[in-house]
């Protein structure tokens, strides 16, 4: 068989694959005759109701002198780490509001932070394109600062996000403005795998957020308006690409069951995707009080997934009923709310409290019905 005949067969095979792919997409689209909210309403489901004292701001954490960009809880729920434009990571005791560590970073332009699963270390990164690891048990240096225990260097753009692999203090995933995600071995400081970059299935713009499920799967969100599913054992290509947003995907978060995930975007919407089908299950959108669509900056799910917490650039923080796609509460209208855009939020491991961070340089801890957990 000649080279020209092989090329013709190759082209024909590609056309057949593309045709089958489009037919499969059309079949799937025809099966999408409803969404989660419509089905829930048809089953007589009612939205979650919040009373006046069911969600209250119980603590304000003051100490940063610049905009708060990121926060993370420890697994034992009593400590929080936050990152601010003031160039510091602060570790807080969430029960007493006291600072246990104030860590000066090598670069003041910090964008992200994370607690290790054991709570013994924290990570932070930003515009210097590196992720710095700090062992909280290390003694301070001569200047009174906590020294960097490991520097993870290899990105060619700013480090926008980081998260430890669950139950593993020695591995961390970062996302970057160089359009890649990297899995790091912290013990050696070396890259284990690079996701994206020269591979065609990678992101085509800055990576803004990552969320990890288990030890082998993570989702990334990007300024290319997509989210991508990755398997850490196969770095050469994304497992799946999820479309639907009309703006940058600023935040991604796995649903508690690991089969779905949520996104928040500059287009003002949150979306719930199903990994198994690749489809959008629900869109969460509502015009705000000023009839605008402010950017979604951060999201988190309750333990059961019934509630979706979404922070917005205009200072609103919506609590969505994920089942009925209804906004059931706006923390931005409550007493003692933030005075600036919400930049980050996170739920404690046991579901008993929500923490929000803002441009007003403060963090606030919101308690659910005193001691009641939200499921």
């Amino acid at each position: 068989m000649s080279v020209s005949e092989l090329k013709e067969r190759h082209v024909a095979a590609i056309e057949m694959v593309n045709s089958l792919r489009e037919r499969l997409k059309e079949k799937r689209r025809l099966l999408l005759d409803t969404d989660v909210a419509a089905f829930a309403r048809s089953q007589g489901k009612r939205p979650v109701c919040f009373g006046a004292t069911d969600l209250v701001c119980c603590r304000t954490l003051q100490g940063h002198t610049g905009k708060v960009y990121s926060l993370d809880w420890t697994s034992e729920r009593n400590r929080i780490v936050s990152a601010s434009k003031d160039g510091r990571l602060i570790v807080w005791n969430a029960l007493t509001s006291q600072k246990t560590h104030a860590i000066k970073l090598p670069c003041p332009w910090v964008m992200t932070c994370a607690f290790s699963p054991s709570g013994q270390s924290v990570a932070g990164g930003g515009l210097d394109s590196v992720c710095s690891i700090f062992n909280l048990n290390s003694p301070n240096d001569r200047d009174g600062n906590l020294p960097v225990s490991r520097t993870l260097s290899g990105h060619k753009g700013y480090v926008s996000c980081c998260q430890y692999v669950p139950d593993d203090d020695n591995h961390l995933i970062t996302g970057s403005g160089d359009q890649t995600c990297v899995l790091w071995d912290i013990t050696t400081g070396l890259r284990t795998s690079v996701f994206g970059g020269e591979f065609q299935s990678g992101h085509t713009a800055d990576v803004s957020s990552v969320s990890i499920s288990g030890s082998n799967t993570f989702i990334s969100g990007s300024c290319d308006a997509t989210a991508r599913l990755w398997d850490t054992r196969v770095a050469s290509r994304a497992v799946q690409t999820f479309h639907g947003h009309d703006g940058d995907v600023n935040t991604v978060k796995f649903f508690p069951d690991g089969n779905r995930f949520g996104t928040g975007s500059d287009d003002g919407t949150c979306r719930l995707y199903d990994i198994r089908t690749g489809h959008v299950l629900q869109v969460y959108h509502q015009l705000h009080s000023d009839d605008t669509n402010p950017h979604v900056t951060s999201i988190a799910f309750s333990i059961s997934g019934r509630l979706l917490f979404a922070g917005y650039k205009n200072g609103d923080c919506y609590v969505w009923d994920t089942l009925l796609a209804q906004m059931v509460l706006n923390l931005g209208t409550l007493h003692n709310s933030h005075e600036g855009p919400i930049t980050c939020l996170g739920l404690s491991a046991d579901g008993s409290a929500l923490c929000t961070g803002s441009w007003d340089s403060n963090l606030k801890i919101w308690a659910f019905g005193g001691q009641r957990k939200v499921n």
Side-chain angles (χ1 to χ4, degrees), residues 99-327:
K99 309 177 195 69
T100 62
H101 296 82
I103 304 168
K104 184 178 180 181
L105 293 171
C107 171
W109 297 98
V110 60
M111 300 180 69
T112 183
C113 62
F115 249 120
S116 66
S118 70
Q120 300 303 306
S121 300
V122 293
L127 295 186
D128 59 354
S129 305
V130 304
C131 186
S132 301
I133 309 296
F134 298 87
N135 186 331
L136 298 179
N137 296 319
S138 296
N140 290 342
D141 60 21
R142 289 180 295 178
D143 297 324
N145 298 318
L146 190 68
V148 176
S149 60
R150 181 70 69 185
T151 298
L152 307 179
S153 178
H155 278 298
K156 297 178 182 178
Y158 64 90
V159 175
S160 58
C161 52
C162 64
Q163 184 180 347
Y164 278 87
V165 174
D167 303 318
D168 186 353
D169 275 23
N170 296 320
H171 289 90
L172 177 92
I173 292 178
T174 55
S176 170
D178 63 12
Q179 306 178 11
T180 70
C181 300
V182 172
L183 173 63
W184 300 89
D185 185 333
I186 296 175
T187 57
T188 63
L190 300 177
R191 293 177 292 182
T192 300
S193 302
V194 179
F195 306 88
E198 69 273 17
F199 301 116
Q200 292 184 352
S201 64
H203 286 293
T204 58
D206 302 10
V207 175
S208 52
S209 180
V210 295
S211 180
I212 307 173
S213 178
S215 58
N216 298 317
T217 304
F218 73 95
I219 288 283
S220 59
S222 167
C223 295
D224 62 11
T226 70
R228 298 179 194 241
L229 175 67
W230 302 90
D231 187 324
T232 57
R233 297 162 295 187
V234 186
S236 60
R237 60 182 177 84
V239 176
Q240 198 164 1
T241 300
F242 300 85
H243 300 273
H245 281 293
D246 295 322
D248 299 359
V249 177
N250 298 318
T251 175
V252 294
K253 195 71 174 180
F254 263 104
F255 197 76
D257 66 3
N259 293 320
R260 284 154 282 189
F261 68 92
T263 57
S265 168
D266 276 0
D267 63 15
T269 70
C270 300
R271 293 171 184 259
L272 181 65
Y273 290 88
D274 190 303
I275 289 175
R276 295 159 297 184
T277 65
H279 289 299
V280 178
L281 296 176
Q282 188 64 55
V283 178
Y284 304 93
H285 175 251
Q286 178 171 312
L287 284 177
H288 292 243
S289 55
D290 52 0
D291 292 331
T292 61
N293 291 307
H295 303 169
V296 182
T297 58
S298 184
I299 63 170
F301 288 102
S302 64
I303 291 177
S304 69
R306 182 64 190 268
L307 299 179
L308 169 66
F309 306 94
Y312 294 82
K313 199 169 184 179
N314 69 343
D316 284 339
C317 185
Y318 282 1
V319 182
W320 291 95
D321 184 325
T322 57
L323 197 59
L324 293 167
Q326 290 187 23
M327 191 271 287

Side-chain angles (χ1 to χ4, degrees), residues 55-102:
L55 189 53
V56 296
C57 179
C58 62
R59 287 180 179 80
T60 297
L61 307 182
Q62 296 178 314
H64 281 298
T65 59
K67 300 173 181 177
V68 176
Y69 285 137
S70 179
L71 67 87
D72 193 25
W73 289 82
T74 54
S75 57
E76 72 268 19
R77 80 175 174 78
N78 63 344
R79 287 186 297 159
I80 298 168
V81 62
S82 58
S84 167
K85 190 180 177 180
D86 61 16
R88 292 184 182 275
L89 301 181
I90 294 181
V91 179
W92 310 82
N93 184 319
L95 302 179
T96 65
S97 304
Q98 298 299 310
K99 309 177 195 69
T100 62
H101 296 82

